[in-house]
Amino acid sequence: MTELSYEEVPVLCQKSCHATKPGMLNVHLVPHTHDDVGWLKTVDQYFYGDRNDIQHAGVQYILDSVVDQLLKNPDRRFIYVETAFFYRWWKSQSSSMQQTVKQLVNEGRLEFVNGGWCMSDEAATHYSAVIDQMTIGLRFLNETFGACGRPRVAWHIDPFGHAREHASMFAQMGFDGFFFGRLDYQDRARRMRDKEQELLWRASDSLTPPMADLFTGILPNGYSPPEGFCWDQLCSDPPIRDDPDLEDYNVDDVVGRFLVIANSQSTVYKTNHIIMTMGSDFQYENANLWYKNLDKLIHYVNARQANGSKVNVLYSTPSCYLQELHRANLTWPLKTDDFFPYADDAHDFWTGYFTSRPALKRYERISNSNLQTCNQLEVLGGLTSRKGPFGEGDSQTMKKAMAVAQHHDAVSGTEKQHVANDYARKLANGWQHCQVLVSNSLAALSGLSAERIYCDNLNVSVCHLTESSKKFSVNVYNPLARPVTWPVRLPVNGTAYSVSDASGKAVDCQVVHVSQATHEVRRQRGFAVNELVFQVQAPPLGYTTYTVALIQDGPPPAPAQQRAPTVIQNKFLQVTFDPETGLISSLNNLETKQSIKLTQNFYWYNASDGNNVESRQPSGAYIFRPNSSTPVIISQTAKTEIIKTSVVQEVRQWFAPWVSQVVRLYADSRALELEWTVGPVPIDDSVGKEVITRLDTSIKTAEYFYTDSNGREVLQRKKDFRPTWNLKQSEPIAGNYYPINSRAYIKDDVDQLTVVTDRSQGGGSIQNGSLEIMLHRRLLHDDFRGVGEPLNEISGIFPDGLVVRGRLLLTLDPPQTAADTHRPLAEGMVLQPLLTFTDGDLKPNTQLEFSGLLAALPPAVHLLTLSQWDEDSVLLRLEHQYQSSESKVSSQPVTVNLQKLFSTLEVLGVAELNLSANQWKDEVKRFDWTPEKGEKPLLKTFEDPSTWEVTLRPMEIRTFLLKVNLR
């Protein structure tokens, strides 16, 4: 549809790849800089070149210098990756400089690769946030440079292991190929031997090939130049001295060494083309040093061809290199698993960061939920949401803060402490902007313009309004496209309340006393002695309102029974406890008549301090290195108290002054909730600790377990095993840890125990029938991977060390139906209802309930994105959230009518885009590749029933630009 099209750039992209020479070894030199969007310094400090006492790095000067040097020689090339930095730089340039840069892009001399706002982490990120950050970056490039600025290649040179779901997303974003720098040292050795460092990655079990097929290349030197050939101001390699009259003439030496390296590299790759990355972290601040020497290197190496040399060197880019590999028309080895875990030596497994900075990891996940709510309400509330009774709101600040948080030294937890604080501050600032927008939108939809209160500390029972008010209302906004039932716990000081729903009907509610652990963790931030507990039901993509009134003030309710618990249950689940230990002893599904033995406890691994005889490698922000395979149990028994009400039954367990838990079963829930509180982790014995919870069951797992990839497809794992090489296991614990982004499970033929997490964590199945998840880490040594400080989080609120609280949800099902429970459960954990509060009575004629949908979407369909694109169009992503074989009921194609979707939007036009929304779907053309085994897959196209009716197949995400009118 023409009215929905992107602006076309009149200049055609010129053929920009230098000619190569058949019959020769062509060495593609790729000048690049790797600019972390925060790591040792904050994003702002890196951009401006501030705090060079920490690290010498200034991105604005890099871009200034590179552009200047590209203009001096049309042969030169440069690639740039991190749009967050480029966007800042671009905004401060004159219009004439912008025109100059556009010319460089149009001529292919400056090429963007990857193009996201950042280079995202692959272990700790959720797919929805990755798609969002790629969309922001690629949209800026598209709108600024048109087709010439669109990256053709994904480029993840620094992330510490690679997720299959990332490859699937990159394929669906239209990338021709993917290059990365880090993989396990044993995997690399095997691939070098067999010339399999370039491969075809089939990144989905559900999507029809080649939809999720991605050509993948492993770079030869991580992302650094070959040894001896670094000519940055940060390096100390000798420059090329090419005046033969001077004493230190070294051209012959440099050329000789280069030819040896090039020929050696060619023996471990498949074609007569090889790639060399000429740059590294924050290099090219004085680009003249690099380019002057690279010009000479190319000249003198190629001059040897006159004497019979068969090596040809050229300035190149990843897309030019990939083009040559495609022209070679070879077959490539096929890979279907992932690249986790990553080790760079026998005792150096990068599996600690799966859990590092657990509070930041949770805050990032909550922020994603809040951002999706903000995006949706911007659309549903119309223009008033951006400019209304509460001022000017915007979602862009939050979008950019979330995009930066996806960086591989942000949500990964591998940054310095002051940088972690800055990421959190940016998220909080973004949420402040979004709150204005959300308040405006809810005011427009409900007709109620009273002040809305946001209580962001409900997890520690802090909300000043509910603690002090005698009458208030709770607005529950549900960002999911299906109705939800959700437990609400509000801090209060009264002993009896009435709660009524939007129709005025009384809702069952109970008052329970605040746990001792909560009293300790909130540190004078709130003074509620009780919690008001009730279940809310919210409509799809909409809100409902509950009214709460105080009935009785006075003393708190009688304390819970201190006796040893034996059973808690609802109509779905029964949990039994051992009266001697206070620990869970079994879990029963009353619907399916399943029963398993289940015990759960807390342990810690003694973190290596680097004084081990075998290896000097300590545990740190990146590396998990326990100095024993046997964790230390925190307590064999738990002190307990039991609370049983009509709304919730819970057993509160105390294991130590720094470890407690609530085992909780709500009346309508098919999941058992474990709310854990850990910290401050004690270090008075001078020992770093890595704290886990372990579930031991009677399930016969045969060494297999399952983890999700970035919150989407689930991969099978096996202890001490890798699918593509014969593993020599040297770390029996750390070498069996994998990222758990949203869920993990263990199963046999009869029973499946699934654990849904509330943030990214690391975990594994070390013993048969067991699943362990790392919750918290407090370490006393740096792990020598560059961050330069131990992972020891303290703050003003927690001067004795960080306290972290989180939730695990457990379900027990037959394996063949388990996904029907855990898919919606995980979806609801990621996108949670947003509660807002207003004090006093509601005014008459307030609209107490609203849904943005005409009807709930089918259970298999997830509304992934609803976001304002421009004045009269919105971006919509619909996702089939089941894999092809995991549910008899839900793993079927589903058709949705786009015109009959929204209650407040009239859909006037529709056009389909690729996943990252930077290309029309029907214009996406990717290189096709042939696997070594099996036939080359041909892209199948499925017809939709009509323009407005779209069919989603298992694991398919479809992206649409809708032209809309607000009804």
Side-chain angles (χ1 to χ4, degrees):
M1 293 182 51
T2 52
E3 67 264 40
L4 290 177
S5 65
Y6 281 111
E7 279 184 54
E8 285 302 313
V9 175
V11 182
L12 288 172
C13 305
Q14 295 166 18
K15 193 81 178 153
S16 60
C17 298
H18 288 306
T20 59
K21 294 190 176 179
M24 287 199 178
L25 174 63
N26 293 279
V27 184
H28 296 248
L29 302 183
V30 178
H32 81 106
T33 180
H34 175 63
D35 297 345
D36 289 302
V37 186
W39 179 38
L40 309 182
K41 307 200 291 191
T42 67
V43 190
D44 301 351
Q45 290 165 351
Y46 272 135
F47 180 74
Y48 285 110
D50 195 10
R51 292 302 309 273
N52 280 345
D53 56 313
I54 298 174
Q55 179 188 12
H56 187 98
V59 174
Q60 60 172 334
Y61 309 122
I62 293 170
L63 290 165
D64 288 343
S65 185
V66 164
V67 169
D68 175 62
Q69 289 299 314
L70 288 176
L71 294 171
K72 291 182 174 175
N73 179 351
D75 289 341
R76 292 172 176 174
R77 298 289 180 267
F78 195 77
I79 62 167
Y80 201 72
V81 180
E82 294 85 6
T83 306
F85 283 135
F86 188 85
Y87 167 82
R88 282 187 186 203
W89 180 83
W90 178 260
K91 282 195 308 178
S92 66
Q93 302 308 305
S94 66
S95 57
S96 65
M97 175 54 83
Q98 289 183 348
Q99 281 307 117
T100 299
V101 173
K102 282 184 178 179
Q103 188 65 27
L104 290 173
V105 172
N106 290 340
E107 292 173 6
R109 293 154 66 186
L110 173 63
E111 178 178 302
F112 295 103
V113 296
N114 213 66
W117 206 244
C118 71
M119 184 186 295
S120 59
D121 182 58
E122 297 194 43
T125 45
H126 190 267
Y127 71 97
S128 64
V130 173
I131 293 168
D132 282 352
Q133 77 89 7
M134 290 298 294
T135 301
I136 295 174
L138 291 168
R139 181 179 184 180
F140 167 76
L141 294 179
N142 224 32
E143 293 181 346
T144 308
F145 299 104
C148 304
R150 192 179 74 243
R152 304 290 317 181
V153 166
W155 182 260
H156 268 212
I157 54 178
D158 196 25
F160 332 120
H162 302 281
R164 196 176 75 173
E165 195 59 41
H166 260 74
S168 176
M169 290 187 283
F170 287 151
Q172 294 172 71
M173 289 172 184
F175 287 111
D176 282 324
F178 176 39
F179 292 94
F180 64 71
R182 298 183 188 271
L183 83 162
D184 188 275
Y185 73 105
Q186 292 183 45
D187 193 5
R188 184 187 281 279
R190 201 279 299 170
R191 289 183 179 279
M192 287 173 71
R193 189 181 69 237
D194 297 342
K195 290 194 177 185
E196 290 192 359
Q197 292 193 92
E198 289 162 334
L199 56 122
L200 185 59
W201 196 350
R202 182 152 293 163
S204 172
D205 294 337
S206 298
L207 298 172
T208 309
M211 264 180 83
D213 286 4
L214 188 66
F215 182 90
T216 301
I218 298 158
L219 297 168
N221 304 299
Y223 55 90
S224 300
E227 193 174 339
F229 292 85
C230 184
W231 289 305
D232 195 74
Q233 65 183 19
L234 299 171
C235 300
S236 53
D237 292 339
I240 296 178
R241 301 184 293 264
D242 57 346
D243 185 339
D245 295 335
L246 295 181
E247 183 185 344
D248 292 334
Y249 178 81
N250 67 353
V251 169
D252 294 337
D253 173 62
V254 170
V255 170
R257 283 188 293 111
F258 184 82
L259 290 174
V260 168
I261 287 170
N263 284 310
S264 172
Q265 187 181 319
S266 73
T267 64
V268 294
Y269 286 88
K270 207 167 176 176
T271 73
N272 65 323
H273 294 267
I274 60 172
I275 187 171
M276 290 183 185
T277 45
M278 305 309 279
S280 193
D281 291 4
F282 298 99
Q283 295 197 358
Y284 286 78
E285 196 172 302
N286 181 351
N288 180 44
L289 299 178
W290 259 116
Y291 282 116
K292 196 164 204 170
N293 284 282
L294 287 173
D295 287 350
K296 291 179 180 180
L297 181 71
I298 291 168
H299 171 74
Y300 289 117
V301 171
N302 289 348
R304 290 278 186 99
Q305 292 170 17
N307 299 326
S309 170
K310 294 290 186 185
V311 175
N312 181 53
V313 191
L314 59 149
Y315 278 117
S316 191
T317 67
S319 65
C320 291
Y321 174 65
L322 189 68
Q323 182 175 287
E324 295 298 338
L325 297 184
H326 187 251
R327 282 177 179 159
N329 200 22
L330 302 176
T331 62
W332 305 93
L334 194 66
K335 181 179 176 71
T336 57
D337 60 313
D338 65 359
F339 288 96
F340 285 119
Y342 160 59
D344 57 15
D345 211 337
H347 301 286
D348 308 5
F349 278 85
W350 298 48
T351 53
Y353 81 98
F354 300 163
T355 296
S356 294
R357 302 196 187 279
L360 181 66
K361 281 180 164 66
R362 175 62 185 148
Y363 192 47
E364 180 274 336
R365 192 64 58 87
I366 293 167
S367 298
N368 184 41
S369 182
N370 287 340
L371 173 60
Q372 302 314 319
T373 290
C374 182
N375 286 339
Q376 292 172 9
L377 282 169
E378 183 176 11
V379 172
L380 298 173
L383 288 172
T384 316
S385 61
R386 293 187 288 285
K387 199 167 187 177
F390 298 99
E392 292 192 18
D394 88 90
S395 57
Q396 291 303 316
T397 307
M398 184 75 168
K399 282 176 181 170
K400 287 171 184 170
M402 265 301 292
V404 163
Q406 305 315 304
H407 168 59
H408 59 268
D409 287 306
V411 68
S412 57
T414 54
E415 63 281 81
K416 281 188 181 290
Q417 184 64 53
H418 78 106
V419 181
N421 297 343
D422 186 62
Y423 289 130
R425 184 190 59 75
K426 281 182 163 54
L427 291 171
N429 180 50
W431 180 223
Q432 292 291 320
H433 285 258
C434 261
Q435 283 179 7
V436 177
L437 191 153
V438 168
S439 293
N440 284 339
S441 183
L442 290 174
L445 294 168
S446 67
L448 180 70
S449 55
E451 183 191 7
R452 284 181 190 275
I453 306 297
Y454 296 79
C455 289
D456 292 332
N457 292 314
L458 286 174
N459 67 323
V460 289
S461 300
V462 175
C463 178
H464 295 304
L465 174 68
T466 63
E467 290 171 48
S468 57
S469 176
K470 293 186 175 174
K471 189 163 193 186
F472 58 90
S473 65
V474 187
N475 179 292
V476 183
Y477 179 82
N478 168 27
L480 296 178
R482 57 179 173 81
V484 297
T485 300
W486 186 260
V488 169
R489 303 178 74 93
L490 303 179
V492 294
N493 284 304
T495 55
Y497 288 80
S498 68
V499 177
S500 53
D501 66 15
S503 64
K505 192 173 141 199
V507 174
D508 186 10
C509 64
Q510 301 289 332
V511 174
V512 299
H513 70 282
V514 167
S515 71
Q516 184 60 36
T518 295
H519 277 303
E520 290 167 5
V521 81
R522 64 187 176 187
R523 302 288 173 100
Q524 308 302 309
R525 285 178 289 169
F527 300 95
V529 292
N530 298 326
E531 284 186 314
L532 175 65
V533 187
F534 58 100
Q535 301 257 62
V536 297
Q537 292 182 313
L541 207 73
Y543 68 80
T544 190
T545 312
Y546 287 81
T547 305
V548 180
L550 175 69
I551 294 174
Q552 185 185 336
D553 236 335
Q561 304 159 356
Q562 297 290 333
R563 65 179 172 79
T566 52
V567 174
I568 58 172
Q569 74 175 65
N570 63 12
K571 58 193 172 194
F572 303 118
L573 294 175
Q574 181 187 65
V575 190
T576 58
F577 293 79
D578 182 331
E580 299 297 315
T581 63
L583 304 178
I584 297 172
S585 58
S586 71
L587 178 61
N588 304 313
N589 183 326
L590 302 174
E591 284 186 295
T592 58
K593 310 283 193 290
Q594 287 171 275
S595 179
I596 59 166
K597 288 179 186 169
L598 169 65
T599 59
Q600 180 247 352
N601 210 327
F602 295 87
Y603 308 79
W604 55 270
Y605 286 107
N606 188 330
S608 172
D609 59 7
N611 291 320
N612 192 296
V613 177
E614 266 187 326
S615 162
R616 297 295 180 192
Q617 178 62 57
S619 262
Y622 302 89
I623 307 281
F624 174 30
R625 176 107 204 283
N627 67 7
S628 166
S629 297
T630 307
V632 178
I633 193 165
I634 288 165
S635 176
Q636 301 278 0
T637 61
K639 289 184 199 166
T640 59
E641 65 175 26
I642 185 166
I643 294 172
K644 288 191 175 184
T645 73
S646 52
V647 178
V648 68
Q649 298 186 11
E650 57 187 50
V651 174
R652 297 175 176 183
Q653 300 171 312
W654 285 267
F655 295 86
W658 57 284
V659 178
S660 62
Q661 178 172 263
V662 182
V663 181
R664 199 176 271 143
L665 199 51
Y666 288 100
D668 295 323
S669 179
R670 284 186 159 83
L672 176 68
E673 178 181 309
L674 306 179
E675 186 185 65
W676 50 270
T677 305
V678 176
V681 177
I683 51 169
D684 46 7
D685 54 0
S686 300
V687 172
K689 297 176 180 65
E690 327 223 23
V691 184
I692 65 162
T693 186
R694 195 174 76 207
L695 302 155
D696 295 312
T697 75
S698 53
I699 296 172
K700 298 172 178 64
T701 57
E703 300 196 327
Y704 289 100
F705 65 109
Y706 301 79
T707 65
D708 68 316
S709 181
N710 298 126
R712 285 202 90 215
E713 295 195 38
V714 174
L715 278 74
Q716 184 187 73
R717 311 295 191 183
K718 189 181 181 189
K719 184 185 168 191
D720 296 334
F721 176 78
R722 305 288 186 268
T724 53
W725 83 92
N726 293 324
L727 174 69
K728 186 181 175 188
Q729 184 62 277
S730 46
E731 283 290 325
I733 308 299
N736 282 305
Y737 260 54
Y738 290 84
I740 300 169
N741 205 271
S742 67
R743 81 208 74 193
Y745 58 79
I746 51 175
K747 66 173 186 174
D748 55 23
D749 292 342
V750 181
D751 300 308
Q752 178 171 321
L753 180 73
T754 307
V755 181
V756 172
T757 64
D758 67 348
R759 73 201 72 193
S760 288
Q761 294 166 314
S765 178
I766 308 299
Q767 307 295 335
N768 277 329
S770 149
L771 184 64
E772 66 182 61
I773 295 175
M774 189 181 289
L775 306 176
H776 198 354
R777 321 177 69 219
R778 188 176 189 187
L779 306 169
L780 305 180
H781 300 275
D782 178 52
D783 57 7
F784 310 126
R785 292 305 184 279
V787 79
E789 64 183 35
L791 185 67
N792 182 10
E793 298 180 88
I794 54 176
S795 67
I797 295 174
F798 297 118
D800 301 324
L802 180 68
V803 183
V804 188
R805 172 170 285 177
R807 295 190 306 145
L808 303 173
L809 299 181
L810 273 56
T811 65
L812 176 63
D813 299 284
Q816 54 272 29
T817 60
D820 294 314
T821 307
H822 73 69
R823 284 284 172 196
L825 201 61
E827 178 195 42
M829 190 74 114
V830 170
L831 292 186
Q832 299 186 358
L834 174 70
L835 306 183
T836 55
F837 302 88
T838 48
D839 199 11
D841 286 307
L842 293 170
K843 72 171 193 184
N845 303 323
T846 301
Q847 187 174 337
L848 299 179
E849 196 159 87
F850 162 83
S851 174
L853 297 182
L854 291 170
L857 287 177
V861 179
H862 173 46
L863 193 151
L864 181 60
T865 306
L866 179 63
S867 182
Q868 199 74 37
W869 188 258
D870 52 34
E871 209 169 297
D872 61 353
S873 60
V874 299
L875 188 68
L876 172 72
R877 287 191 186 94
L878 296 174
E879 168 192 7
H880 196 304
Q881 61 172 340
Y882 285 80
Q883 286 176 236
S884 57
S885 56
E886 67 184 2
S887 166
K888 283 181 183 168
V889 180
S890 302
S891 296
Q892 305 295 330
V894 185
T895 300
V896 175
N897 189 317
L898 299 178
Q899 272 194 317
K900 295 178 180 174
L901 208 52
F902 299 105
S903 63
T904 60
L905 300 176
E906 183 186 7
V907 180
L908 306 173
V910 58
E912 187 164 7
L913 294 154
N914 65 340
L915 181 60
S916 45
N918 65 326
Q919 252 189 305
W920 300 118
K921 182 75 176 283
D922 58 11
E923 291 178 9
V924 174
K925 290 181 176 60
R926 297 173 65 221
F927 286 162
D928 50 355
W929 305 89
T930 308
E932 281 179 353
K933 292 169 185 162
E935 293 178 13
K936 179 190 290 191
L938 297 171
L939 186 60
K940 286 185 187 146
T941 50
F942 298 99
E943 291 294 319
D944 286 322
S946 72
T947 306
W948 302 110
E949 293 177 299
V950 298
T951 301
L952 295 154
R953 286 165 179 78
M955 278 292 133
E956 191 174 16
I957 301 174
R958 296 185 65 178
T959 305
F960 302 97
L961 202 55
L962 304 181
K963 191 176 176 68
V964 296
N965 258 347
L966 212 55
R967 288 189 203 270

